[in-house]
Amino acid sequence: MPPAIVIEQPAPLALPRKRIRWGEQFVHLILFIAAAISVLTTVGIVISLLMPAVDFFREVSPVEFFTGTTWAPLFLDAHFGVVPLVVGTFVISFWSALLAFPLGVGVAIYLSEYANQRVAGVLKPILEILAAIPTVVLGYFALTFVTPLLRDIGLDVEIFNALSASLVLGVLLIPTIASLSEDAMAAVPRDLRDGGYALGADKLQVSTRIVVPAAISGIIAAFVLAFSRAVGETMIVLIAAGQLAQITFDPRETIETMTAFIGATGNGDVPTGSIEYKTIFAVGLTLFVITLVMNLISIRLVRKFREVYE
Amino acid sequence: MTIRAITTLFVSSAALALVAAGCGGGDDGGGVITADGSSTVGPFVTKAAEDFKAEQDIDVTVGISGTGGGFERFCAGETDLANASRPIDEDEEVLCEDGGVEYIEFRVATDALTNVVNTENDWATCLTVDQLNAIWKPGSKVANWSQVDPSFPDVPLKLYGAGTDSGTFDYFTSVINGEEGASRSDYSATEDDNVTVQGVSGDRGALGYFGFSYFEENQDRLKALEVDGGGGCVAPSIAAAQDDSYTPLSRPLFVYAKQGSFDDSEDVRNFVKFMLDNNETIATAAQFVPLSPDQVAEQQATYENATP
Amino acid sequence: MTLVEHARRPQEPASESHRKNRAWKNRLFKAVMLFSMFVAFGTLAVLLVDTLITGWPALTSQLLTGLPSTVSEEAGGRPAILATLYLGALVLLLSVPIGVLTAIYLEEYADRTRWWNRLIEVNIQNLAAVPSIVYGILGLAFIVRGIGVGRVVFAGGLILTLVVLPTVVVASREAIRSVPDSIRQGAFALGATKWQVVWRQVLPSAIPGMATGSILALSRAVGETAPLIMVGAITYVAFNPTLFGAYTALPVQIYNWTRQPDPGFQTLAAAGAIVLLVIVLSMNSVAIFLRNRYRRQW
């Protein structure tokens, strides 16, 4: 039997008390203040929306607001049902997401799995340029180019319609979905792909059956981000989709989104303090809450599907 | 280039730009006259401002927050002039009283509110006020031209009009529907009259209304309807608006001057005088109906009375 | 069938038809992908060409140096262009320091177990998703009215800073995160304090990524219209803008031009759009150049 080994622990070092470095504390404080600015912004947004909105809801019943189907707040015989605006917003977001999602993921797969470095190096910056185009220019393009084009090919669209705006918005969102999805796919380790190839799979199978499922959390995050950007988009819809608040799912018709209403009314002639003015805040609050909820959903989804590799 | 160099370059160019912005105030000489209000009257005041600057090198800024928005700022003392496409209403008078703002009302031009249809609309030439009322009144279910007049064909009626927060809307509804703000709500309402131009010129069955200048600029794309206000069909035109035969849709356009600014600032007085003296040139250029000589004289008398 | 099941089947030689089938599927897929690329880049090309063709007649020095006018032949956009540049400078000077400092705080200093730090993180993520027009409402309530600064360049700059701040923070965090920990640990081992590590080791390595992110955020701020509309960037401003003076920015000016009855203004709007695109795209190119030049492989 080996002898018991006794290890003598030396006495712990008697170190002097840690000297507070005031410079470091100061830096820490400054940094915290900088970070707190973002919190102040949120607080500011909430207050600036909430207070007039509360006033608004004292005069207009929330039930009527959230369930009413006629939006005519500025007319003598006023109706304050926000449903047409919400429907308008979602119609636009739906169609643009429908366009952007498959195309965006397609572009992402191409860049991540098929293209070589040089080609990708050229294409990615061009995608970023597409994403950087100011939305006022895109809105104008939708109205003056896309709408006549749609009419020329026989689609009987109104002069202001949801379809043109959705198409243009969808193209704007392709880079967002593509770059986030591509990042997610790039994060998938090579081993997984190599394993697939080793088993005799071809590129299509590896891309669609291995890489995409592995990157699904990033792809979902990309989708939700793009969708919430579509919900929040103002200029394209203001210029091209119209200002007729009605409930319709036909994209060829004129609609009005929440953002277009705020933009048009905020610029217009409404006396501050009037009930009409407060509609801006009520709708703004609704919009804010919707995007917030979508963001939280996205965080949840990402966490649920995330694959951790190392 | 090193990182340090790049960073320094950015920061210094940004700072330089801001210094330029901060010091670049040399351009706007003595002071700036602020005008805000109706987007209909805006072009008139803007043209006046442009000519005024050319002559006297005084700057005028012109906002288009709308008639109501303009009054609101005016009564809070924020602006010198309020542009309005309708007279000040009771609520706004109270607002100005509360804000301690006294004002002088000047009429600067006349607008002929024009009803427009698509160039392919060959059946409608003239509408009576009653017909317009039937189309636009609250709760109206008129959705087809044949419902407007039995002799009209079966073509769906698509409506475009002024946004509810514009003086154009206020005036049209009060004159056609009897009450300001009374209107059906299922039409494409917009602040941007170009939207109406686009809409009407793109749809055979469309009907819209807006200020005369928008029709004048787009005569090749639109057709104006005559209006029968009780005395026969009259087409909108400068002459008809001036002599009031284009009724009831010829409306006066106003600029309200803050008494305080009027008293204190020679520039404000000069600008108002400029708008009156050069009324014809400015109005014609901005495509409004100029004041008739009698009307000009009337306004100039108001000016003289108000001048300290 | 999963790939593994597929592999576990009793081996049969891949039949001719099977191979052809797969080859065909692959080609179809590739076609679909190329179609996606085509739509994206094709639209961009069409947009640029269409805007260029429409706006070409009005693309003169008058656009750049002239003052706005009610006569489209004489109108220029100098005040608007200057204001846009000033706004950009303001956004750069405000958002970059605040954003970078916030990112440093979150990555290097914040104790993740504390609830307030988690709150700040979630908060920034949320702010990134808020529509820009809501920032316009915020600006109207607090900056224009609340502090009473009024409808001036400074207010517009503040609002745009808030709009892009989350983007700058996120980009800076990515840049900081990409610096390997070994660098930090080495510095600590040599006795550096936390701030010394950040300032002398982490930041210099992270600057290219931060610069890229900041410039991209900046180009977005320059193209923003909605928040500025809410705070009434005035329509007719015939003098060079000053920091605390009335202004109108290029995107807003373009929007206003599209609302004029005179068709000449539509051409002018397209020309203005070209100028705006040039400004935005050059910023983007600088960002891309920086990223490529200074990309470090660890």
Side-chain angles (χ1 to χ4, degrees):
Chain A
M1 209 166 70
I5 303 177
V6 174
I7 302 178
E8 256 193 34
Q9 300 280 23
L13 288 173
L15 290 168
R17 222 180 71 147
K18 187 167 142 188
R19 180 175 61 119
I20 297 180
R21 290 175 163 266
W22 290 110
E24 289 288 315
Q25 298 292 67
F26 180 69
V27 164
H28 194 135
L29 182 67
I30 297 281
L31 293 179
F32 184 73
I33 292 176
I37 289 182
S38 67
V39 178
L40 284 176
T41 309
T42 306
V43 169
I45 291 179
V46 172
I47 293 180
S48 65
L49 286 179
L50 210 53
M51 283 173 43
V54 163
D55 264 348
F56 176 80
F57 283 118
R58 248 178 255 168
E59 293 185 46
V60 176
S61 93
V63 175
E64 188 201 336
F65 184 75
F66 287 108
T67 61
T69 56
T70 310
W71 180 253
L74 309 169
F75 290 86
L76 203 58
D77 179 25
H79 290 281
F80 293 95
V82 82
V83 172
L85 292 183
V86 175
V87 167
T89 303
F90 276 98
V91 164
I92 297 264
S93 311
F94 172 74
W95 288 105
S96 56
L98 195 65
L99 177 78
F101 189 63
L103 294 185
V105 172
V107 169
I109 296 179
Y110 181 78
L111 286 176
S112 148
E113 308 295 317
Y114 284 77
N116 60 44
Q117 283 282 53
R118 255 189 47 216
V119 174
V122 164
L123 292 180
K124 284 175 82 165
I126 301 184
L127 265 185
E128 276 177 42
I129 288 176
L130 183 58
I133 298 193
T135 50
V136 62
V137 175
L138 285 170
Y140 190 49
F141 178 68
L143 182 67
T144 57
F145 187 86
V146 178
T147 300
L149 182 70
L150 289 177
R151 288 180 148 196
D152 284 342
I153 66 175
L155 274 169
D156 183 27
V157 294
E158 308 256 2
I159 193 85
F160 299 104
N161 63 84
L163 189 59
S164 302
S166 305
L167 288 176
V168 170
L169 183 55
V171 172
L172 177 65
L173 294 174
I174 289 180
T176 306
I177 295 190
S179 74
L180 282 176
S181 305
E182 200 245 331
D183 283 347
M185 288 182 211
V188 174
R190 272 199 67 186
D191 321 356
L192 288 184
R193 292 182 183 82
D194 290 345
Y197 288 126
L199 287 171
D202 58 35
K203 214 158 200 172
L204 168 61
Q205 287 169 320
V206 168
S207 307
T208 55
R209 307 248 220 123
I210 297 182
V211 179
V212 167
I216 200 77
S217 82
I219 296 179
I220 290 181
F223 176 76
V224 178
L225 181 67
F227 194 82
S228 69
R229 279 194 61 188
V231 164
E233 172 49 42
T234 310
M235 294 316 291
I236 298 181
V237 290
L238 183 60
I239 296 177
Q243 279 161 35
L244 181 56
Q246 58 173 348
I247 301 183
T248 170
F249 293 97
D250 180 354
R252 297 171 309 173
E253 299 212 32
T254 313
I255 49 129
E256 188 172 28
T257 63
M258 292 187 275
T259 48
F261 173 75
I262 297 174
T265 314
N267 183 32
D269 158 329
V270 190
T272 314
S274 67
I275 189 75
E276 294 90 348
Y277 184 69
K278 292 183 201 149
T279 54
I280 299 178
F281 298 91
V283 177
L285 187 65
T286 314
L287 182 64
F288 180 66
V289 167
I290 290 180
T291 43
L292 203 69
V293 165
M294 286 202 305
N295 194 39
L296 292 176
I297 292 179
S298 143
I299 296 179
R300 266 290 151 78
L301 280 178
V302 167
R303 220 175 277 161
K304 183 161 177 222
F305 285 101
R306 168 174 299 184
E307 308 247 356
V308 183
Y309 292 108
E310 328 241 334
Chain B
M1 268 207 282
T2 65
I3 302 278
R4 196 154 290 188
I6 297 182
T7 323
T8 327
L9 188 68
F10 271 127
V11 175
S12 48
S13 54
L16 207 69
L18 279 179
V19 168
C23 304
D27 239 64
D28 56 66
V32 176
I33 304 176
T34 45
D36 197 352
S38 161
S39 55
T40 308
V41 184
F44 178 90
V45 181
T46 305
K47 181 76 181 93
E50 217 181 300
D51 293 348
F52 189 64
K53 181 173 168 107
E55 199 185 272
Q56 300 198 22
D57 198 31
I58 305 288
D59 285 307
V60 183
T61 61
V62 182
I64 47 166
S65 311
T67 305
F71 274 127
E72 191 244 326
R73 294 188 67 202
F74 183 70
C75 294
E78 288 177 36
T79 54
D80 301 309
L81 304 171
N83 307 331
S85 58
R86 56 160 170 78
I88 187 171
D89 69 28
E90 282 171 19
D91 295 330
E92 288 154 352
E93 282 178 21
V94 171
L95 206 63
C96 273
E97 239 181 82
D98 292 343
V101 170
E102 286 174 1
Y103 53 83
I104 316 149
E105 175 186 288
F106 290 100
R107 176 173 171 177
V108 294
T110 310
D111 182 27
L113 262 181
T114 311
N115 294 286
V116 288
V117 292
N118 191 281
T119 46
E120 288 182 29
N121 180 325
D122 53 7
W123 56 86
T125 1
C126 176
L127 289 179
T128 66
V129 172
D130 287 331
Q131 285 174 319
L132 282 172
N133 175 249
I135 295 174
W136 288 99
K137 69 174 185 230
S140 164
K141 293 281 170 245
V142 174
N144 195 295
W145 280 99
S146 57
Q147 292 173 285
V148 176
D149 188 308
S151 66
F152 291 161
D154 176 16
V155 176
L157 181 66
K158 274 267 178 277
L159 293 174
Y160 293 82
T164 55
D165 23 284
S166 81
T168 308
F169 174 79
D170 292 338
Y171 189 82
F172 187 83
T173 49
S174 92
V175 156
I176 297 288
N177 293 334
E179 196 181 347
E180 193 179 292
S183 164
R184 69 192 289 176
S185 54
D186 55 343
Y187 67 95
S188 277
T190 175
E191 290 309 305
D192 177 1
D193 293 315
N194 261 340
V195 165
T196 306
V197 170
Q198 299 262 28
V200 174
S201 63
D203 192 327
R204 186 166 162 252
L207 169 70
Y209 68 86
F210 46 41
F212 190 57
S213 56
Y214 279 89
F215 168 66
E216 274 236 297
E217 276 292 358
N218 293 288
Q219 286 191 54
D220 49 338
R221 300 161 72 181
L222 299 169
K223 171 177 149 183
L225 292 179
E226 298 174 12
V227 174
D228 182 354
C233 291
V234 182
S237 72
I238 292 189
Q242 242 177 18
D243 66 17
D244 253 353
S245 58
Y246 182 69
T247 141
L249 290 176
S250 54
R251 56 170 175 164
L253 301 176
F254 302 96
V255 170
Y256 287 78
K258 188 164 78 177
Q259 186 79 51
S261 313
F262 200 76
D263 292 339
D264 298 337
S265 162
E266 199 185 324
D267 293 333
V268 172
R269 287 201 295 274
N270 287 343
F271 184 57
V272 174
K273 186 147 207 318
F274 185 82
M275 283 196 285
L276 294 176
D277 290 343
N278 300 286
N279 189 276
E280 174 131 17
T281 350
I282 301 173
T284 319
Q287 278 151 348
F288 286 105
V289 178
L291 298 174
S292 67
D294 289 337
Q295 291 166 333
V296 174
E298 214 181 297
Q299 295 306 314
Q300 279 176 333
T302 315
Y303 175 83
E304 294 303 325
N305 285 344
T307 315
Chain C
M1 236 194 287
T2 68
L3 276 169
V4 179
E5 284 168 2
H6 192 100
R8 283 216 192 114
R9 275 179 341 184
Q11 286 313 318
E12 50 187 60
S15 62
E16 190 64 37
S17 64
H18 180 261
R19 241 181 287 138
K20 278 218 188 100
N21 189 32
R22 289 239 54 91
W24 176 84
K25 273 194 192 164
N26 266 275
R27 241 175 272 142
L28 180 66
F29 188 68
K30 209 163 185 184
V32 167
M33 282 192 304
L34 285 177
F35 174 72
S36 315
M37 307 281 288
F38 176 69
V39 167
F41 296 120
T43 310
L44 177 64
V46 169
L47 171 82
L48 291 176
V49 167
D50 181 59
T51 311
L52 200 63
I53 294 181
T54 317
W56 186 252
L59 204 61
T60 60
S61 65
Q62 184 182 281
L63 177 66
L64 297 174
T65 59
L67 296 172
S69 160
T70 47
V71 179
S72 64
E73 291 79 21
E74 294 169 25
R78 188 179 84 216
I81 295 175
L82 280 177
T84 294
L85 294 175
Y86 291 157
L87 286 172
L90 255 179
V91 170
L92 191 68
L93 282 182
L94 288 175
S95 68
V96 173
I98 300 179
V100 167
L101 290 178
T102 306
I104 293 176
Y105 178 76
L106 286 173
E107 288 295 315
E108 305 285 332
Y109 281 78
D111 181 353
R112 299 262 163 90
T113 58
R114 298 277 182 227
W115 66 268
W116 56 80
N117 290 323
R118 282 210 298 276
L119 179 71
I120 295 180
E121 280 211 43
V122 172
N123 188 50
I124 292 188
Q125 270 188 305
N126 284 334
L127 283 179
V130 169
S132 60
I133 198 159
V134 173
Y135 284 99
I137 300 180
L138 169 69
L140 186 63
F142 280 112
I143 302 180
V144 167
R145 294 225 154 98
I147 313 182
V149 179
R151 292 151 196 241
V152 296
V153 177
F154 185 64
L158 279 185
I159 295 167
L160 290 178
T161 303
L162 291 179
V163 171
V164 299
L165 195 57
T167 315
V168 176
V169 170
V170 167
S172 305
R173 288 186 72 180
E174 289 293 321
I176 294 177
R177 249 184 250 167
S178 69
V179 176
D181 214 30
S182 44
I183 305 252
R184 295 185 186 81
Q185 297 302 334
F188 280 126
L190 288 172
T193 66
K194 191 144 205 172
W195 179 245
Q196 284 172 329
V197 172
V198 168
W199 181 247
R200 290 173 189 243
Q201 295 300 329
V202 178
L203 265 189
S205 311
I207 281 190
M210 290 181 180
T212 312
S214 309
I215 297 175
L216 290 175
L218 187 66
S219 82
R220 191 186 144 199
V222 157
E224 276 291 342
T225 324
L228 293 180
I229 288 182
M230 293 299 290
V231 293
I234 294 178
T235 182
Y236 176 71
V237 172
F239 47 85
N240 289 338
T242 63
L243 203 55
F244 286 96
Y247 69 107
T248 183
L250 190 53
V252 180
Q253 181 72 284
I254 294 173
Y255 178 60
N256 276 322
W257 276 335
T258 63
R259 294 159 57 129
Q260 301 302 319
D262 181 352
F265 278 111
Q266 308 296 318
T267 315
L268 204 56
I274 297 176
V275 174
L276 185 61
L277 281 171
V278 165
I279 296 179
V280 165
L281 294 183
S282 23
M283 284 193 210
N284 272 50
S285 315
V286 170
I288 293 170
F289 167 74
L290 275 183
R291 181 173 54 204
N292 288 345
R293 180 99 142 76
Y294 292 99
R295 188 200 300 265
R296 291 239 236 171
Q297 292 298 344
W298 294 104

